[in-house]
Amino acid sequence: DIQMTQSPASLSASLGETISIECRASEDIYSNLAWYQQKSGKSPQLLIYAANRLQDGVPSRFSGSGSGTQYSLKISGMQPEDEGDYFCLQGSKFPLTFGSGTKLEIK
Amino acid sequence: EVQLVESGGGLVQPGRSLKLSCAASGFTFSNYGMHWIRQAPTKGLEWVASISPSGGSTYYRDSVKGRFTISRDNAKSTLYLQMDSLRSEDTATYYCATLDAWGQGASVTVSS
């Protein structure tokens, strides 16, 4: 199985701050990576797919990058509504595997 | 607008069965692979099973193989998850997803 190691586990950011979340795969996943945001009590929402493609309707302050085994999600200018949990998902090979999640809070 | 609406969750005793349904609308259901993903209370996301657009191929995580069955009815735009021999560790919110879009989830509690 492909292991997805996500970091950090938690993050506290000030309004307007730029933050990054990382996911490292145990093998090459050929950019088959998505990022999701999950707010408390809600279902996950897709932010980024194919490592760097912004989902329709997602603010442009969100961006994704990476290749091979290393991927990152960047939020350029933290907003109050960005608080929540963030997960990466590799879709390269079954079983699909998620990162362990990052809890993002406003400082 | 894409909508995925799960139903069929509830409280069930260990060893018993439950069947989840997911009604899809707003997109051509028969063109999409579909997935069940679960989330135990206060835990992360865990992929459970997937099915190809035609239903001809299915995939399961090891811990549910032989106990869970994913299926679909493309004429009804509905996805199913038959869960047999349920265990306490199957307690979770179960989401139906295209991976682009997710349902609101169905809560499954396995307890005596």
Side-chain angles (χ1 to χ4, degrees):
Chain A
D1 298 3
I2 298 175
Q3 308 303 316
M4 299 301 297
T5 302
Q6 184 172 342
S7 62
S10 65
L11 191 51
S12 184
S14 303
L15 283 178
E17 186 176 347
T18 293
I19 67 97
S20 286
I21 299 169
E22 311 287 325
C23 265
R24 185 182 77 249
S26 59
E27 62 184 79
D28 195 328
I29 58 171
Y30 305 99
S31 297
N32 288 299
L33 185 102
W35 290 99
Y36 295 89
Q37 176 195 64
Q38 186 178 30
K39 297 188 179 181
S40 182
K42 301 293 187 182
S43 56
Q45 300 292 312
L46 178 65
L47 300 172
I48 301 286
Y49 63 97
N52 60 16
R53 305 291 295 269
L54 190 68
Q55 175 70 349
D56 288 347
V58 174
S60 58
R61 63 180 179 274
F62 291 91
S63 62
S65 63
S67 62
T69 62
Q70 296 278 132
Y71 299 87
S72 63
L73 172 72
K74 184 164 76 171
I75 306 176
S76 302
M78 176 77 180
Q79 297 299 306
E81 59 267 31
D82 299 337
E83 274 199 323
D85 295 325
Y86 290 79
F87 297 92
C88 63
L89 167 67
Q90 71 79 18
S92 176
K93 203 182 278 189
F94 287 108
L96 306 185
T97 45
F98 289 89
S100 54
T102 296
K103 178 174 286 297
L104 178 60
E105 297 175 327
I106 287 279
K107 195 181 291 184
Chain B
E1 180 195 359
V2 171
Q3 281 206 312
L4 297 166
V5 180
E6 301 94 339
S7 60
L11 172 64
V12 62
Q13 292 178 327
R16 304 299 291 263
S17 298
L18 206 59
K19 186 172 185 176
L20 302 181
S21 299
C22 171
S25 61
F27 66 104
T28 305
F29 182 73
S30 58
N31 286 352
Y32 282 77
M34 296 296 297
H35 313 269
W36 288 100
I37 293 159
R38 67 186 179 186
Q39 187 170 35
T42 71
K43 298 292 187 184
L45 297 164
E46 183 176 82
W47 170 79
V48 175
S50 299
I51 188 167
S52 62
S54 68
S57 296
T58 56
Y59 310 86
Y60 300 92
R61 68 178 302 104
D62 284 348
S63 61
V64 308
K65 270 181 199 170
R67 300 189 300 122
F68 289 13
T69 303
I70 187 171
S71 62
R72 65 192 296 160
D73 185 334
N74 284 345
K76 294 182 178 179
S77 296
T78 302
L79 178 71
Y80 303 100
L81 185 67
Q82 175 68 44
M83 303 184 290
D84 298 324
S85 303
L86 281 161
R87 306 168 180 167
S88 57
E89 54 264 36
D90 297 319
T91 293
T93 296
Y94 284 73
Y95 295 101
C96 155
T98 63
L99 296 187
D100 292 3
W102 297 52
Q104 85 288 352
S107 178
V108 173
T109 302
V110 184
S111 174
S112 54

